Amino acid sequence: MARGKFLLCKFFSVLLLGGTLVVSGAQEAAGESAPIIDLGAFPVDSDSHVNGINDDGTMAGVYTTAADGAIAVRWNADGAVVPLTVPGTHRMTEARAINAKGFIAGSAYDDLSVRRAVRWRPDGSFTELSSPDRYGHAEATAINTGGIVAGTVTIGTPPAKRAARWDANGVMTLLPLAPGDSRSAAAAINDAGVIVGTSGNQAVRWKSDGTVVRLAPLPGDDRSSAEGVNNAGVVVGGSGARPVRWAANGTVTALPLLRPGDAAGDAKAINDSGVITGSSGIGGSARSAVVWDARGTITDLGALPGHDQSAGAAINALGVVAGDSERTSVRGRHAARWTAPHRVTDLSRSFPGGERAEAFAINVHGQAIGQSLPPEGMAHPVTWSRGGVLTDLSPGSNTPKANAINAHGVIVGTDNRELSKDRAVRWEPDGTMTGLKEPEYHTYRSLASGINDSGAIVGSARSRRGSLQPTRWAPDGTPALLPLLPGHDGGFAKAINNRGVIIGRSDIRGETGRHAVRWAPDGTVTELAGLPGETYTHAVALNDRGEIVGYSGEHAVRWSPDGRVTKLSIPEGTYHGEATGISDAGIVSGWYRAGVAGGPGQALRWTPDGTVTELPPLPGGHETKANGINALGDIVGSSDNSAGKVHAVRWPATGNAAAQPVIR
């Protein structure tokens, strides 16, 4: 741990000036793009937090759901979560600490519903640590680089908690009580084997030979606890309601609280540079994750967007803090990681979460829209910030659908809260939803499917007995019907670019084919010819250069600005291909159906020269779909994961190292 001391001091000189830090393996800090980013889905009824972090950035903790209870997990440095496995005879697990080599200590309930102290190896294998009482509970709470574990066991009649130590082979030794005490608990251990915790109601330190020494509380306090210890023997914890630090010689110092109104705090962990993390607040609520530097200066780390509480639980040599963040009014904590003040990542988005989510479109600022299925029922329209924060666009209704978003964050779609009546709607950046005025005599049903950066919207509207009619709404909301091809009686406007060019379709009622069309800014309509012999052609998206993509029959296609159609190649043996979006540079997103109908789909990206690349799935996943692309080339869609869930995802424009060209 001492190897990180200089780096950490350097970090905190930056941190205290309000700067940021690049951390090896921390994707959001380094500003690097991953091959695929999990945007997640509506979270299940869950609670999660991180208990430990090592210098490599690997973390250990737990998430809890109503269905499965507590599940111990390891977060890799990139934030990907891995559930820690246990034998079929064990359940309800929690990971409490991780050492420099990746060994994890924690607990699991056995076949007798007794909690046992356990250890996981870096390869995921599981070991139950010895216990003095077959029917007494035990928990491992800390592990050092040598593999020595500290924790607490329950023994005797009546049962009493006792601090314990397990050697690298799993053999347990009870730690002595301080004079006059009948119970104790161990909280942390350093690489020299020094253990800290409590005996009776006061903080204690056990030397490596097992000798117990009381740590004096602040004057006037009769209760204290030791929570963390570094390799220099400096201990942190609480005295009464105040966070404190004990020097190696036992001298106690009160640490400052964050705000004048704060009445309580807790120091949970300390690294070898003397930087401490914990929380400061007014008691059981309104707590804030904080760090104290070696001089005792306190800094607020902040919380996740929309949250009002947070707490730090662990810190590594680089100063990266792990803990949790939550919103007081909503049940459930989110596991979180801080790389600098207010530079926080929501680690709970890595969990299996809801059953399904899919992203449909993304704007130039990285804000995505789509839908997610909450645990209680029908899909909701949602938006994800570039950082992956999910916001429900319709918390009071299950019926709307978001279809398109412009550069200003204005979203359009459809709402059918009224029985059997779809209504074109617009969401402002603040989330306010308003209905769009329908064209005269076409008030039975309306749909909004596209919007440009000027606020012009396209879609369709229909009368009670008529067909859908392609419709354009001016930025002020004034609707106007678009012309159809000669002899046609219905159609739909799908998308509009920033030059006012619109694409969609024009149809004849009862005809089985589909005619892709383009409307010039002056309203002139032109048919976009499909591939020879194909009668079912769709134009799906266009860019500001006037290039259009879609599909004709079973083939993904691209139209040049002058209307020439080109078939986009897909791998041999595939069933069906579609192009779904095109960037301003001519990069195309899409997907193909593998094998026969009903086989798994694969997301694709085409370069302007026709090279097609398969986009990677989430870890353990197999089926992907790309639905849209922004002007910069970021693609959004969906992918399944190792848990069989389908999550909304983003493939960044760069950094797709895992993507492999399949056809040129």
Side-chain angles (χ1 to χ4, degrees), residues 586-647:
I587 306 296
V588 178
S589 63
W591 58 280
Y592 71 82
R593 181 71 66 184
V596 298
Q602 297 294 320
L604 299 175
R605 180 185 62 218
W606 289 269
T607 58
D609 66 1
T611 302
V612 61
T613 301
E614 288 190 1
L615 298 174
L618 292 170
H622 304 284
E623 185 167 0
T624 56
K625 186 179 180 184
N627 290 324
I629 187 171
N630 66 11
L632 302 177
D634 298 318
I635 297 171
V636 292
S638 62
S639 171
D640 62 347
N641 60 21
S642 58
K645 313 291 186 181
V646 177
H647 280 192

Side-chain angles (χ1 to χ4, degrees), residues 246-627:
W246 287 273
N249 64 6
T251 302
V252 63
T253 303
L255 295 170
L257 296 171
L258 183 62
R259 296 165 290 256
D262 286 358
D266 196 9
K268 299 294 290 186
I270 182 172
N271 66 15
D272 284 351
S273 294
V275 183
I276 303 163
T277 189
S279 63
S280 176
I282 59 175
S285 61
R287 58 189 181 139
S288 298
V290 297
V291 288
W292 293 270
D293 68 11
R295 297 165 299 180
T297 303
I298 189 170
T299 300
D300 185 4
L301 292 177
L304 288 167
H307 288 190
D308 56 8
Q309 282 202 86
S310 59
I315 186 170
N316 69 9
L318 293 174
V320 179
V321 173
D324 61 75
S325 176
E326 64 183 310
R327 186 167 57 189
T328 307
S329 59
V330 177
R331 180 186 179 275
R333 293 171 292 179
H334 290 222
R337 175 182 58 199
W338 289 266
T339 53
H342 305 285
R343 190 77 178 271
V344 58
T345 300
D346 188 348
L347 298 170
S348 71
R349 292 189 296 109
S350 305
F351 300 149
E355 291 291 334
R356 187 175 185 90
E358 187 171 6
F360 300 144
I362 183 171
N363 69 11
V364 71
H365 301 298
Q367 182 183 358
I369 60 166
Q371 65 181 19
S372 184
L373 186 69
E376 70 273 9
M378 299 175 65
H380 285 222
V382 296
T383 178
W384 291 269
S385 70
R386 183 166 187 83
V389 178
L390 182 151
T391 301
D392 189 354
L393 289 171
S394 185
S397 171
N398 292 329
T399 54
K401 183 178 180 182
N403 294 321
I405 182 171
N406 70 9
H408 306 295
V410 180
I411 300 166
V412 295
T414 306
D415 178 26
N416 61 353
R417 297 187 194 198
E418 297 180 33
L419 185 63
S420 301
K421 175 179 170 62
D422 289 326
R423 177 85 180 272
V425 295
R426 174 176 57 206
W427 285 271
E428 303 303 329
D430 65 2
T432 303
M433 184 179 75
T434 57
L436 296 174
K437 181 181 178 182
E438 291 124 334
E440 189 175 12
Y441 308 123
H442 292 78
T443 59
Y444 180 69
R445 185 184 185 199
S446 61
L447 309 167
S449 58
I451 183 171
N452 68 12
D453 292 345
S454 298
I457 299 168
V458 295
S460 64
R462 62 168 289 188
S463 61
R464 180 174 293 275
R465 293 182 175 83
S467 301
L468 284 172
Q469 300 296 310
T471 305
R472 178 186 185 276
W473 286 268
D476 66 1
T478 303
L481 298 179
L482 294 168
L484 300 168
L485 292 173
H488 289 201
D489 60 2
F492 187 90
K494 175 67 174 175
I496 181 172
N497 70 10
N498 288 327
R499 296 184 177 182
V501 178
I502 301 168
I503 59 167
R505 73 172 196 251
S506 179
D507 306 320
I508 300 173
R509 183 178 294 184
E511 186 181 58
T512 56
R514 289 287 184 268
H515 301 264
V517 296
R518 174 178 55 201
W519 288 272
D522 64 2
T524 303
V525 60
T526 305
E527 182 165 6
L528 296 168
L531 296 172
E534 299 292 354
T535 60
Y536 198 91
T537 299
H538 267 273
V540 177
L542 78 166
N543 64 15
D544 285 345
R545 300 194 307 193
E547 297 170 311
I548 302 166
V549 295
Y551 57 97
S552 183
E554 304 295 342
H555 307 282
V557 296
R558 173 169 49 200
W559 288 272
S560 63
D562 62 5
R564 289 178 290 112
V565 65
T566 303
K567 182 167 69 173
L568 296 171
S569 299
I570 57 176
E572 293 183 6
T574 59
Y575 167 69
H576 176 83
E578 292 187 21
T580 58
I582 183 167
S583 75
D584 284 350
I587 306 296
V588 178
S589 63
W591 58 280
Y592 71 82
R593 181 71 66 184
V596 298
Q602 297 294 320
L604 299 175
R605 180 185 62 218
W606 289 269
T607 58
D609 66 1
T611 302
V612 61
T613 301
E614 288 190 1
L615 298 174
L618 292 170
H622 304 284
E623 185 167 0
T624 56
K625 186 179 180 184
N627 290 324

